[in-house]
Amino acid sequence: TEGVSGEFKENEIFSSLDLIKAMLLVSSNDATTALARSIGEETFIKSMNQKAQELKMSDTIYFNSSGLSFLNQSTPNDLVKLAGYIYNNHRKIFDITIQTKETIIELGFQKSRDLVNINQFSSRNSFIGGKTGYLDESGRNLIALFNINNQPVLTIILGAEDAYIETEKMLTCISPTLF
């Protein structure tokens, strides 16, 4: 799959959790594809679209598992629904995304591999979790959840040249003394 994040190679064996860590921390398209292929790419994509419908994400549609196609579409309103669902029901996903580094194990040879989080906010105390994204067609994207004054604050940046700078601008507007 396009990209080398995670440095995965053919015939390596990883747990599903370690593949999810690679997806979330380093945006590994190889890990996403491997996970999707483990149950069947079509089944995986169908499940993604079913979950979007279940969450009433009416303006979201997936055509591949990795997110590498501009055909995959969503809106800020739908991404708010997804982030809220994760925050309320699957906080472990956000817990992974705040890690600055995680070690995963290739099960065949029992070799460890360190993944360094590409999200610049991962080391920030106020960061609750989030995910980066990029496509040539859409630019830099970032969904980030922060704890500001004991309240969760969600930022969604789509199509930016630098999503981190745009997020910082938003956070400064919300609480200038904290940032």
Side-chain angles (χ1 to χ4, degrees):
T1 302
E2 183 180 330
V4 295
S5 298
E7 300 178 15
F8 292 97
K9 295 173 184 60
E10 193 171 349
N11 297 319
E12 289 182 320
I13 302 168
F14 290 89
S15 70
S16 295
L17 179 58
D18 281 352
L19 291 175
I20 291 169
K21 289 176 182 178
M23 290 165 46
L24 295 172
L25 296 177
V26 298
S27 291
S28 174
N29 301 320
D30 289 337
T32 305
T33 300
L35 193 60
R37 287 182 180 165
S38 72
I39 64 168
E41 182 86 17
E42 286 183 34
T43 301
F44 193 87
I45 295 165
K46 184 178 178 181
S47 294
M48 290 170 57
N49 283 310
Q50 285 175 337
K51 180 54 81 174
Q53 288 177 348
E54 180 184 315
L55 298 178
K56 297 185 181 1
M57 297 170 59
S58 56
D59 293 316
T60 297
I61 188 161
Y62 302 105
F63 286 93
N64 69 16
S65 58
S66 68
L68 286 175
S69 171
F70 68 91
L71 296 174
N72 296 312
Q73 297 286 314
S74 193
T75 62
N77 285 337
D78 280 1
L79 295 174
V80 167
K81 293 173 187 175
L82 178 61
Y85 172 76
I86 293 168
Y87 181 75
N88 291 316
N89 299 286
H90 298 286
R91 190 76 63 93
K92 282 186 173 187
I93 292 172
F94 282 146
D95 291 345
I96 292 169
T97 67
I98 65 172
Q99 301 305 312
T100 55
K101 184 169 97 173
E102 277 282 336
T103 300
I104 61 172
I105 307 293
E106 194 283 322
L107 299 173
F109 293 100
Q110 293 296 306
K111 288 183 69 176
S112 65
R113 180 176 303 161
D114 288 333
L115 302 173
V116 177
N117 196 336
I118 62 173
N119 190 323
Q120 294 176 15
F121 293 122
S122 64
S123 62
R124 189 174 284 186
N125 287 338
S126 61
F127 184 62
I128 296 172
K131 180 71 185 84
T132 62
Y134 175 80
L135 281 178
D136 287 337
E137 296 86 355
S138 66
R140 304 254 174 229
N141 305 297
L142 177 63
I143 298 172
L145 186 62
F146 297 89
N147 180 346
I148 299 177
N149 299 323
N150 294 318
Q151 292 292 317
V153 173
L154 180 66
T155 61
I156 298 175
I157 304 294
L158 303 175
E161 190 171 309
D162 187 322
Y164 298 108
I165 288 174
E166 298 304 321
T167 300
E168 290 284 3
K169 288 178 187 176
M170 289 176 66
L171 293 174
T172 301
C173 290
I174 295 167
S175 185
T177 58
L178 291 177
F179 303 97

